[in-house]
Amino acid sequence: MKKMTMWFLALLLVCNVALLSGCSGRTKDPGEPPAEVINPGQSSEDVTPDGNLSRDTDSDSSSSEESNTGNADDSGEVLENAISVRIGRDGTKEWNVNMYNNDAAMTMLDYLSGSALLFPTYTYDEEEGFVAQSVRGNYTRDDEQEIADVKAGDLYLFSGGQLRFYFKDMEGADITATPVGYYTDVEGLTEAVEEAYESNLDDTWGVDVYFWITKTLE
């Protein structure tokens, strides 16, 4: 009986040591990352971008505080208020975005729904003034243009599927891309992106700026 008691106590001690050792070796579990962070662009309803932004407020011109007319695409037809956007994970202001009626823009719209989609961007470029992310879909380059200057609020699709959102005016950008849309109101746009970036510096998943995107086109 004494031997069985000693054996039981020894077994209990070993189990406790193993349990404590396992607990001390664990790092804090951040939980399950969102689907768009684990597999950007792979969900049937997700669209995901590679983001770059600029935070140079000194470069903001007075023209950026007016309604943006955007660079005209070849068709000249615009889908007004096709989507609405909230900037930042906790953003509340709704920004309206007009989309051009071209193949690239229509492909993007096909991936969106009337429900808000959390759209993460992973690149923030201060010098070039844009956020960017690779988006899913097969895109032609039929509507590609040579663009000398870009304006705050412009959206462009580059070869390879990179979507760029410019949040400030950039003269002499000299890009080759397909115009897909533009924000209808750019007053305060630069500051909104800057604030969203600053508030997200310690993001668990390495996202620079979050956007909420909702398709409003009927």
Side-chain angles (χ1 to χ4, degrees), residues 5-216:
T5 302
M6 293 296 294
W7 178 86
F8 176 79
L9 291 175
L11 181 62
L12 183 62
L13 178 63
V14 170
C15 291
N16 286 335
V17 170
L19 180 62
L20 291 173
S21 176
C23 291
S24 63
R26 291 176 186 168
T27 57
K28 184 178 180 180
D29 184 2
E32 181 71 11
E36 67 274 8
V37 174
I38 302 174
N39 297 308
Q42 293 186 11
S43 170
S44 61
E45 295 183 356
D46 287 349
V47 181
T48 24
D50 241 341
N52 282 357
L53 272 230
S54 171
R55 292 180 289 155
D56 185 4
T57 55
D58 293 335
S59 64
D60 290 345
S61 65
S62 59
S63 63
S64 294
E65 297 181 357
E66 301 172 356
S67 213
N68 187 4
T69 57
N71 288 294
D73 75 334
D74 291 336
S75 69
E77 186 176 352
V78 171
L79 306 173
E80 295 185 356
N81 301 328
I83 63 175
S84 66
V85 177
R86 283 182 282 135
I87 300 173
R89 189 133 198 179
D90 300 320
T92 57
K93 179 177 178 178
E94 295 285 347
W95 304 79
N96 292 322
V97 176
N98 290 349
M99 301 289 282
Y100 294 120
N101 190 10
N102 58 36
D103 289 341
M106 296 307 294
T107 299
M108 292 179 187
L109 288 171
D110 285 343
Y111 284 109
L112 299 177
S113 70
S115 299
L117 167 70
L118 184 61
F119 188 74
T121 60
Y122 293 93
T123 310
Y124 185 94
D125 191 312
E126 297 190 27
E127 294 183 1
E128 299 299 326
F130 64 85
V131 286
Q133 174 76 3
S134 297
V135 293
R136 55 195 293 255
N138 296 318
Y139 300 96
T140 70
R141 300 174 66 178
D142 295 342
D143 298 302
E144 199 170 64
Q145 300 178 25
E146 301 291 332
I147 310 294
D149 305 322
V150 298
K151 296 181 180 181
D154 282 350
L155 295 166
Y156 291 99
L157 181 69
F158 287 71
S159 60
Q162 185 191 59
L163 177 67
R164 290 186 184 182
F165 159 49
Y166 287 87
F167 66 93
K168 66 176 182 179
D169 295 344
M170 293 295 296
E171 295 184 0
D174 297 326
I175 61 174
T176 301
T178 302
V180 292
Y182 57 90
Y183 282 59
T184 60
D185 178 16
V186 296
E187 184 176 0
L189 186 64
T190 299
E191 293 78 8
V193 175
E194 291 172 2
E195 291 173 6
Y197 172 77
E198 292 290 346
S199 66
N200 215 53
L201 288 175
D202 59 350
D203 183 76
T204 303
W205 316 116
V207 176
D208 283 332
V209 182
Y210 283 102
F211 296 85
W212 290 96
I213 301 177
T214 305
K215 181 179 178 179
T216 54

